[in-house]
Amino acid sequence: MIALPLLGAAVLLLGGRRTDRWGHLLGVVMSLAAFVVAVAAFVELLGLPAGERRRAISLYEFIPGVADAGLLIDPLSISFALLITGVGSLIHIYSIGYMSHDPDRRRFFSYLNLFVAAMLLLVLSDNYLGLFVGWEGVGLASYLLIGFWQFKPTAATAAKKAFIVNRVGDFGLLIALFTIWSVFGSFAYKNLGAGAVQDAMAGGSLSQGTVTAIGLLLLLGACGKSAQLPLQSWLLDAMEGPTPVSALIHAATMVTAGVYLVVRSGAFFEAAPTAQLVVTIVGVATLLAGAIIGCAKDDIKKGLAGSTMSQIGYMMLGAGLGPVGYAFAIAHLITHGFFKANMFLGAGSVMHAMNDEVNMRRYGGLFAVMKVTAVTFFIGYLAIIGFPLLSGYYTKEGIIETAMEHNEILGWLAVLGAGLTGFYMSRMVFMTFFGKRRWADDAHPHESPSVMTVPLVLLSIGSIGLGAYLILGNRFMKFLAPAVGLPAELPEPHIFGVGTVGLATLALVAIGAAFAWFRYGAAEVPEVAPRGSFLTVFARRDLYGDALNEALFMRPGQWLTRIAVFFDNRGIDGLVNGLAAGIGGTSGRVRRIQTGYVRSYALSILFGAAVVVGALLYVGTM
């Protein structure tokens, strides 16, 4: 699974321009081949008894005495592998059409293959060190793909911003790994299960404070990769990259790596209730923040990016709720990979037809000319708002119900987030596909070619039925049990069984959708956005996240740098240079004594002798 896309990346990067004509096809073949291997591994895993669905594959001694390189095939890792290779392959196929006129298409596919290989290493590694190598690999690939169009200053800046913000989270992850090694002497997951953590705490080698610190540091790493508060500021800027990048990295795979890290590290969080509570708080805060941002964005890709923040917030909320929440969080992660990739690619299809226009205020009425794109996008929209019987309905409702059982405040805030989702996603659909046509004069929208629409159709099928298949009968919860454990009491999901919370959620979603219809469906949408209220401006500016980072970190950092430079120039360099200048100046003056004239030397000797005689006479009279 890992070697095939890695080989594709190597051939395309090292082959250079000689591979331009067929490089995109090689990239697709390698991704599809990895998917076939993943399916074969999944089938083999299903053939084993439930208690034995955990297979370790030792590769070689990575760092002697510290860690071996190995892979772990269990229900959690294979679920991610199927998502990465399956959805990733569809995005590769879509990219053939989307990037057809780009002269660097071959290089784009090499980066896609590199990303798939790194993401697979991240989820398939059997230890934290291998996970970290993959973690940094996807960070590199993300940097390369976001900044793929380097001639655009905004794209280059966005790539650097994503890279730097993620380094903050990576610092937390590294400190967590150092602490784990110092306590357990191992990075391997098999040595870091719930039993090992409890034994270490009982033996006194692991204190409650230390395990809480490990949990919080792991969460910091997860926040960076998954764009959760307070490290969310990079995600919306990352939309400067090509749209398939947004679908693959910023919807289906990389941004979910933080959720994987939290679930895989469940033993530490379950032993640290404080850290677990912080995970849920971060999740709820981010799901609301992302929803508020999505309500005010006119850029279709940035609106979807705010939605991604929000939906990963739901996943993070579920990941902080223990074994029941783990299953719902990962199920929502998988279904979200389908319907959000579907909508991102749908947005790319619209952009492809509208001369790369991203402002929804210049869309309108596109349903009539882009029916396949519109219908598949609409299916994804219904799934994400939690329309009954579609994928998002089962997975998101499970997270909300579980949160309500643990903490009603968190639960009702999650319900509020669902209502906001109903509004901003409905706003996006109405502004793009319905209402009056607001196209530019040179726009001639048309349906995208089949190489782009077929992936949309396949992703929309997953958006319809995948959630019910995973959740009903607790099928996915039982499947994940060998990796994350089973809760003491299983929930009882039904095809259409909603209680008070479920009805309240559906009601808020309906109210949000109706409000969006009156504002952006029935009413005329102005082509120039009105200034709006303070809250609207607040949302448009990403909740002033960049301004806050500048005030708290960037400007103090600038002053610290200036002080350091001043001290270096005037202090350290001043001392060294001043000493050198003093010696040089003194030698310059002293050398003037060396005139080369005998009479000058004789006069100096006479003067010196007179001084010595005078001194002797003075001393003799004392």
Side-chain angles (χ1 to χ4, degrees), residues 572-586:
I572 298 175
D573 287 353
L575 177 63
V576 174
N577 295 336
L579 181 62
I583 294 173
T586 303

Side-chain angles (χ1 to χ4, degrees), residues 323-409:
V324 177
Y326 296 158
F328 285 122
I330 301 301
H332 192 56
L333 184 154
I334 293 171
T335 58
H336 176 267
F338 278 83
F339 55 70
K340 184 54 66 64
N342 175 21
M343 286 187 286
F344 260 118
L345 296 183
S349 181
V350 171
M351 292 166 57
H352 185 265
M354 295 290 288
N355 300 330
D356 290 328
E357 178 63 68
V358 296
N359 188 348
M360 293 184 290
R361 294 183 180 275
R362 296 180 179 272
Y363 292 166
L366 290 176
F367 183 86
V369 292
M370 303 183 69
K371 287 187 169 57
V372 176
T373 298
V375 170
T376 53
F377 193 98
F378 194 75
I379 290 172
Y381 152 73
L382 292 177
I384 197 173
I385 68 173
F387 191 82
L389 305 184
L390 271 72
S391 287
Y393 168 75
Y394 294 100
T395 54
K396 189 191 292 185
E397 185 64 28
I399 293 174
I400 293 174
E401 292 280 0
T402 306
M404 194 68 72
E405 293 175 5
H406 280 72
N407 187 307
E408 288 193 3
I409 296 176

Side-chain angles (χ1 to χ4, degrees), residues 134-501:
W135 191 273
E136 294 304 302
V138 295
L140 170 63
S142 174
Y143 169 79
L144 294 172
L145 286 166
I146 294 170
F148 181 74
W149 288 323
Q150 299 169 357
F151 55 86
K152 294 171 59 178
T154 52
T157 301
K160 289 186 288 186
K161 182 177 181 180
F163 197 81
I164 292 170
V165 172
N166 272 273
R167 298 289 72 73
V168 178
D170 294 353
F171 180 77
L173 177 57
L174 274 174
I175 299 300
L177 299 190
F178 297 157
T179 308
I180 290 171
W181 171 261
S182 68
V183 174
F184 296 93
S186 175
F187 291 118
Y189 300 145
K190 64 181 180 181
N191 299 326
L192 300 170
V197 173
Q198 294 299 330
D199 290 344
M201 294 182 73
S205 59
L206 179 65
S207 67
Q208 187 65 54
T210 302
V211 74
T212 300
I214 290 173
L216 293 176
L217 289 167
L218 290 171
L219 174 61
L220 181 61
C223 286
K225 206 59 96 192
S226 293
Q228 300 290 283
L229 293 173
L231 301 179
Q232 83 293 348
S233 62
W234 65 271
L235 182 60
L236 276 82
D237 289 2
M239 297 302 106
E240 290 292 338
T243 302
V245 174
S246 304
L248 178 62
I249 294 181
H250 308 128
T253 55
M254 189 193 81
V255 290
T256 61
V259 181
Y260 172 81
L261 177 65
V262 173
V263 173
R264 180 62 81 185
S265 307
F268 293 105
F269 287 98
E270 289 167 27
T274 301
Q276 208 169 30
L277 176 62
V278 174
V279 172
T280 60
I281 293 173
V282 167
V284 166
T286 307
L287 75 87
L288 289 174
I292 292 170
I293 290 172
C295 289
K297 290 296 181 182
D298 293 329
D299 183 318
I300 188 170
K301 288 178 65 177
K302 290 191 176 183
L304 288 172
S307 170
T308 299
M309 272 179 59
S310 182
Q311 297 306 307
I312 296 176
Y314 277 104
M315 299 172 208
M316 201 66 75
L317 170 61
L321 299 174
V324 177
Y326 296 158
F328 285 122
I330 301 301
H332 192 56
L333 184 154
I334 293 171
T335 58
H336 176 267
F338 278 83
F339 55 70
K340 184 54 66 64
N342 175 21
M343 286 187 286
F344 260 118
L345 296 183
S349 181
V350 171
M351 292 166 57
H352 185 265
M354 295 290 288
N355 300 330
D356 290 328
E357 178 63 68
V358 296
N359 188 348
M360 293 184 290
R361 294 183 180 275
R362 296 180 179 272
Y363 292 166
L366 290 176
F367 183 86
V369 292
M370 303 183 69
K371 287 187 169 57
V372 176
T373 298
V375 170
T376 53
F377 193 98
F378 194 75
I379 290 172
Y381 152 73
L382 292 177
I384 197 173
I385 68 173
F387 191 82
L389 305 184
L390 271 72
S391 287
Y393 168 75
Y394 294 100
T395 54
K396 189 191 292 185
E397 185 64 28
I399 293 174
I400 293 174
E401 292 280 0
T402 306
M404 194 68 72
E405 293 175 5
H406 280 72
N407 187 307
E408 288 193 3
I409 296 176
L410 296 177
W412 284 114
L413 289 175
V415 171
L416 175 60
L420 292 173
T421 304
F423 171 75
Y424 71 76
M425 288 308 305
S426 300
R427 173 182 182 268
M428 185 178 296
V429 168
F430 297 145
M431 290 179 71
T432 302
F433 296 106
F434 300 98
K436 179 183 175 182
R437 298 180 178 184
R438 303 178 297 277
W439 311 337
D441 294 336
D442 60 344
H444 304 285
H446 54 278
E447 187 58 86
S448 298
S450 57
V451 73
M452 294 172 65
T453 56
V454 169
L456 294 179
V457 173
L458 295 177
L459 289 168
S460 66
I461 293 172
S463 304
I464 295 172
L466 187 58
Y469 177 78
L470 294 176
I471 298 303
L472 294 180
N474 293 307
R475 184 179 286 109
F476 191 62
M477 190 171 294
K478 294 174 183 176
F479 174 70
L480 278 185
V484 301
L486 268 179
E489 184 177 347
L490 293 176
E492 298 180 5
H494 301 287
I495 293 179
F496 193 69
V498 291
T500 304
V501 176

Side-chain angles (χ1 to χ4, degrees), residues 512-578:
F515 185 58
W517 167 254
F518 285 115
R519 286 288 306 274
Y520 302 98
E524 185 173 342
V525 178
E527 293 188 33
V528 178
R531 186 180 186 280
S533 64
F534 166 77
L535 186 59
T536 302
V537 176
F538 184 57
R540 283 178 186 160
R541 296 186 179 179
D542 304 340
L543 311 186
Y544 294 103
D546 287 338
L548 184 64
N549 286 335
E550 287 184 13
L552 293 180
F553 303 109
M554 190 272 282
R555 298 196 186 283
Q558 282 184 330
W559 281 107
L560 181 63
T561 303
R562 288 169 183 167
I563 292 171
V565 170
F566 178 83
F567 178 73
D568 182 59
N569 290 338
R570 299 297 179 88
I572 298 175
D573 287 353
L575 177 63
V576 174
N577 295 336

Side-chain angles (χ1 to χ4, degrees), residues 90-110:
L90 293 176
I91 294 171
H92 275 70
I93 295 169
Y94 175 96
S95 299
I96 294 176
Y98 190 87
M99 302 294 289
S100 59
H101 301 297
D102 196 297
D104 288 325
R105 180 169 64 169
R106 178 262 317 164
R107 182 165 57 89
F108 180 77
F109 275 85
S110 70

